Amino acid sequence: MTYRRAAIPALAGAVLITLLLWWAGASAHALQLQGATRALGIESVLELRRWLAPWAYDPSVLTSPGDDTGVSGAPAYSDLRRTGMQIRFVALFVLYGAGALLLLRRMPPSHGRTPGTLLALWAWGPVAGTLAVAVSTPWLIASGGQGSYRLLPRLAAGIESSGPVAVLAALLTAGLTVLVGRAAAQDGETPPRSAVPARPARLAASLGTAVVAVSLLILSYDRVTARIHTAFSGTGRLSEPGDLLRQWLILGVWSGPAGTPFGDWLVYRLVDVLMLAVVWWSLRLLPGLLTRATLPAMAVGGVCATVLALLTGQVLRIPLDDTLGVWGPTHFLAALGAHVPAALTFGALAGTVAFAALRLTGERTTPAPQPVPAA
């Protein structure tokens, strides 16, 4: 798929996800309507406020001044907040469009690639939202009037705040982008799926999965997590990078079975194993789905594979966390979109390692045989 044709669905997807998240932030005023708390419940209203806070221009309807999520603002600094929100939505448009352009260029929705393209575009949405929030959060922190107070912890909290809204908006955006992409693609210029030799593909997928396992199984252990969180000490504005470092390195948190039934602990660990299985299977199929296995495409594909595994684990944990009667139905989806910065870090490394393994094996992907037209 040429860049010119891929730009059409990429632009449509970038416009749609930007409008959806802008509309979600603008809809926060509905939570102030009389009867909203009575109809939804106080827990659900508070949870929805947390979801919409990163995308709302008006912070007064969502949070109180001085909140550490980086979305509060003082009247004297309202221009800074407006600038930060403008940067956030422009960055979202650019980042999603750039990632979608690369994915559609190397993974066009044709010749059996449509499910893979749909999942990859869905996974890229939370990544674009997280990066957009990361770029714009310093302006929102400064708009609170206390930009130097606990800067790095507040920056970490702001980066992690994109939340389930970005995941749900990305799902709708991915569907529309694929539909537009199928209309824009021409089968004649799109090569069929490649037949990748099994041994190099399995080796590349295994090495990439091992990279993700370092974060999920080693760095996410509670003692290691605590060591990372408290590794830095001192004084000054940049003396607390532990919060920020933890956001970009840790995919989850787990501990030993002490204090919990062993059966429950084992079920949660099986979810972690299934997450790694999703990463392995995605990396195994990725070279064959790409029209050409380049380093940028493999790196972005590794990020999408890791985010998909992360979302899979979060969805599988929903029935395991029996909190409906305590926190309300919206709490079921509260964990969606968490740990995306770490998935971005280790997903890119996993894709890079998988690409290097494919190159070092010396095996080339061979295109599938073209169908012979009837005489």
Side-chain angles (χ1 to χ4, degrees):
M1 194 173 185
T2 63
Y3 279 114
R4 185 179 62 180
R5 292 188 178 276
I8 299 173
L11 181 62
V15 170
L16 179 60
I17 193 171
T18 304
L19 290 177
L20 285 175
L21 291 178
W22 177 85
W23 171 79
S27 301
H29 288 278
L31 298 176
Q32 289 187 316
L33 295 175
Q34 294 182 358
T37 302
R38 184 167 56 254
L40 300 177
I42 183 62
E43 294 84 4
S44 297
V45 169
L46 292 176
E47 189 66 28
L48 289 174
R49 284 182 177 178
R50 185 183 69 84
W51 290 12
L52 301 177
W55 309 105
Y57 268 83
D58 185 6
S60 63
V61 301
L62 300 170
T63 57
S64 59
D67 185 57
D68 283 343
T69 59
V71 299
S72 60
Y77 301 97
S78 58
D79 289 341
L80 275 176
R81 175 172 177 82
R82 241 186 336 262
T83 300
M85 293 305 298
Q86 291 170 358
I87 293 174
R88 178 166 297 187
F89 283 106
V90 170
L92 175 67
F93 176 84
V94 173
L95 290 168
Y96 186 87
L101 180 64
L102 177 61
L103 290 171
L104 291 166
R105 161 71 171 164
R106 295 302 178 191
M107 196 188 303
S110 60
H111 295 291
R113 296 186 178 95
T114 301
T117 307
L118 178 65
L119 292 175
L121 290 172
W122 179 33
W124 183 250
V127 176
T130 297
L131 291 175
V133 170
V135 169
S136 58
T137 294
W139 278 266
L140 302 186
I141 293 176
S143 70
Q146 296 177 340
S148 62
Y149 174 70
R150 291 179 56 84
L151 175 61
L152 294 183
R154 296 172 70 190
L155 181 61
I159 293 172
E160 188 71 10
S161 66
S162 60
V165 175
V167 178
L168 300 176
L171 182 59
L172 297 175
T173 303
L176 176 69
T177 306
V178 167
L179 290 177
V180 177
R182 287 184 64 87
Q186 285 187 352
D187 292 339
E189 66 180 14
T190 303
R193 292 181 58 175
S194 302
V196 182
R199 183 173 297 179
R202 290 172 183 170
L203 176 62
S206 299
L207 292 177
T209 305
V211 173
V212 178
V214 170
S215 174
L216 186 61
L217 301 181
I218 298 177
L219 299 183
S220 296
Y221 185 57
D222 60 348
R223 295 183 180 179
V224 181
T225 301
R227 185 63 61 89
I228 293 174
H229 195 192
T230 59
F232 300 90
S233 60
T235 58
R237 299 178 180 178
L238 302 180
S239 62
E240 298 172 330
D243 284 299
L244 189 61
L245 188 63
R246 179 169 52 86
Q247 296 291 348
W248 293 91
L249 295 181
I250 297 173
L251 280 170
V253 178
W254 67 279
S255 61
T260 59
F262 180 76
D264 295 342
W265 179 87
L266 185 61
V267 170
Y268 278 94
R269 301 291 73 79
L270 289 177
V271 172
D272 294 336
V273 173
L274 288 176
M275 289 174 59
L276 293 178
V278 172
V279 174
W280 187 91
W281 187 249
S282 301
L283 293 177
R284 169 66 179 85
L285 297 179
L286 182 60
L289 292 173
L290 298 173
T291 57
R292 183 184 175 190
T294 61
L295 178 58
M298 288 292 294
V300 173
V303 172
C304 294
T306 309
V307 174
L308 280 176
L310 190 64
L311 294 175
T312 301
Q314 291 167 355
V315 171
L316 290 177
R317 287 189 177 94
I318 289 177
L320 300 179
D321 298 331
D322 188 13
T323 56
L324 176 61
V326 179
W327 298 104
T330 54
H331 188 71
F332 273 161
L333 303 178
L336 288 181
H339 307 297
V340 172
L344 173 61
T345 302
F346 285 91
L349 290 175
T352 302
V353 169
F355 173 78
L358 288 174
R359 282 300 181 93
L360 291 176
T361 54
E363 299 286 347
R364 300 289 183 176
T365 58
T366 57
Q370 296 280 0
V372 179

